[in-house]
Amino acid sequence: MNFYSLIPIIITIISFVVMKKKCQGFIKNWISGSRPLISIHYLFPTIFGILLGNYIFQKPVNYLDGFLLICSVFFSFQTSVIVNDINDIKTDKIALKKSLLNSNYFGLKVYQNLGGYFFILSLLFALVIEYRILLIVLLGHILHFTYSSKPFRLKRFFPVSILMLALGALLSAISGYALFESSKPFLSFPIKPALFIVIPLFLALNFRDLADYRGDEKTDVTTLFTLFGLGKGRLINAFLVLLGYLSVPLILKFPPLFFAVVPLGILSFYFCLKKPFKEKYIFYIYFILIAILLIIFKLNPEIYLGPVF
């Protein structure tokens, strides 16, 4: 351990203490608006990438570097949340969607400054690990910026928007893998784990757009729901989520996993159609699957590295 590794940790702690004292209720309001469930989702691929690199290269895990990377990915996503909220002010108002920006807790300027602060933190945490990790995290920022912001705002185009979210998760996994293979992480990252991350998420992540339906419809953002209508869109989304679950054992070529994914997929199908729609239940079921997949990795990691076809 060196002193430079502690610098971003010290800066983060001091900054949050100062903001808590200056802004009453800052921590509580920020946590509630930080998309905690989807934030946790982005940490899972990072951890998976670390476990994958540890197994493939048979090198010990540097827990400090792992912690720094998780912090970097976390603050990178928090930056993307703020960038998305700023660009979705009109959409969120129409959809009556709560965010830190429309809750009257943060003014636009303060919220922009908070986004800049999280951006710098994410790069600083990555930089003290290694400059190649910094480049991967920076690429993640570029991906999320082009997703949310003009003149690109690629979230307007279905299914490109969903593919970008799935690729963001893959990028998180590659960042964890790069702790062990920093020279060519994109080229050497195994195909099967890449497909295992991208395909199920590409199929299942449409549910994230359901809460924004009214706003997206009025602001020319194309999603599954604006394309097919709310009724048909909800049904198609439910089938796609179920298909996402069923794709996992097919990609891994591990049929016993069907005993887990079938009931979990059916539960998700049910909650996708249930009114009012509660996004949190989709995440809770997803987290159960992640726990099962981590147990399988611990017992037999070769399942994740076998032939693709």
Side-chain angles (χ1 to χ4, degrees):
M1 180 186 295
N2 58 63
F3 174 73
Y4 294 107
S5 298
L6 298 178
I7 290 177
I9 300 174
I10 295 170
I11 290 175
T12 302
I13 293 172
I14 292 175
S15 299
F16 270 78
V17 169
V18 171
M19 284 188 282
K20 184 179 179 182
K21 287 185 176 180
K22 286 192 173 183
C23 304
Q24 191 69 27
F26 165 76
I27 299 294
K28 180 181 178 181
N29 282 277
W30 170 66
I31 290 176
S32 65
S34 64
R35 318 290 203 278
L37 294 177
I38 192 71
S39 297
I40 295 171
H41 152 71
Y42 271 100
L43 299 184
F44 283 136
T46 310
I47 295 169
F48 175 67
I50 293 172
L51 295 175
L52 193 66
N54 169 246
Y55 176 75
I56 292 175
F57 297 101
Q58 294 295 302
K59 295 178 182 177
V61 177
N62 185 317
Y63 291 102
L64 177 59
D65 283 352
F67 174 74
L68 294 171
L69 178 62
I70 286 172
C71 290
S72 179
V73 171
F74 175 77
F75 284 116
S76 174
F77 175 71
Q78 293 307 309
T79 306
S80 75
V81 168
I82 291 175
V83 171
N84 191 68
D85 283 351
I86 291 172
N87 284 278
D88 276 0
I89 295 176
K90 183 178 179 181
T91 303
D92 289 345
K93 282 183 178 179
I94 295 171
L96 302 178
K97 182 179 178 181
K98 290 183 179 180
S99 72
L100 284 179
L101 191 54
N102 64 26
S103 66
N104 297 321
Y105 183 77
F106 284 114
L108 179 59
K109 186 64 177 177
V110 174
Y111 205 44
Q112 288 173 330
N113 291 338
L114 186 62
Y117 167 66
F118 286 155
F119 172 74
I120 292 171
L121 270 185
S122 70
L123 297 185
L124 192 56
F125 273 106
L127 179 61
V128 296
I129 303 171
E130 211 226 15
Y131 81 92
R132 292 184 182 89
I133 301 292
L134 172 66
L135 294 178
I136 295 174
V137 172
L138 189 58
L139 180 59
H141 280 292
I142 294 171
L143 182 73
H144 286 116
F145 180 82
T146 57
Y147 172 84
S148 298
S149 305
K150 294 180 179 179
F152 309 100
R153 197 158 166 75
L154 296 179
K155 69 177 294 181
R156 295 175 296 165
F157 309 110
F158 174 82
V160 174
S161 55
I162 305 301
L163 178 60
M164 291 187 72
L165 294 177
L167 290 177
L170 175 60
L171 196 60
S172 297
I174 292 174
S175 70
Y177 175 80
L179 291 180
F180 302 88
E181 161 60 310
S182 60
S183 58
K184 300 176 182 178
F186 289 93
L187 295 177
S188 67
F189 192 85
I191 295 295
K192 191 173 183 179
L195 295 176
F196 156 70
I197 293 169
V198 172
I199 292 176
L201 290 178
F202 177 70
L203 291 169
L205 280 176
N206 287 286
F207 75 89
R208 294 284 299 144
D209 294 324
L210 183 53
D212 299 327
Y213 168 69
R214 296 299 176 192
D216 289 338
E217 188 181 36
K218 299 293 185 182
T219 54
D220 297 322
V221 175
T222 305
T223 68
L224 178 71
F225 305 101
T226 62
L227 195 61
F228 293 98
L230 193 57
K232 287 183 180 178
R234 286 175 68 102
L235 187 59
I236 295 171
N237 170 64
F239 275 110
L240 287 175
V241 170
L242 175 59
L243 188 58
Y245 274 90
L246 297 178
S247 71
V248 174
L250 293 175
I251 295 169
L252 295 180
K253 291 189 173 182
F254 189 59
L257 192 53
F258 277 111
F259 289 106
V261 300
V262 169
L264 293 176
I266 292 173
L267 266 177
S268 292
F269 182 94
Y270 168 75
F271 282 114
C272 282
L273 295 179
K274 184 177 172 58
K275 297 180 182 180
F277 175 66
K278 299 288 186 180
E279 185 180 89
K280 62 181 180 180
Y281 294 123
I282 308 299
F283 277 109
Y284 295 157
I285 297 166
Y286 165 68
F287 293 157
I288 293 172
L289 176 63
I290 292 297
I292 293 170
L293 292 172
L294 288 175
I295 292 171
I296 292 173
F297 186 92
K298 183 69 175 177
L299 296 174
N300 189 0
E302 280 299 321
I303 291 171
Y304 294 80
L305 296 170
V308 179
F309 303 107

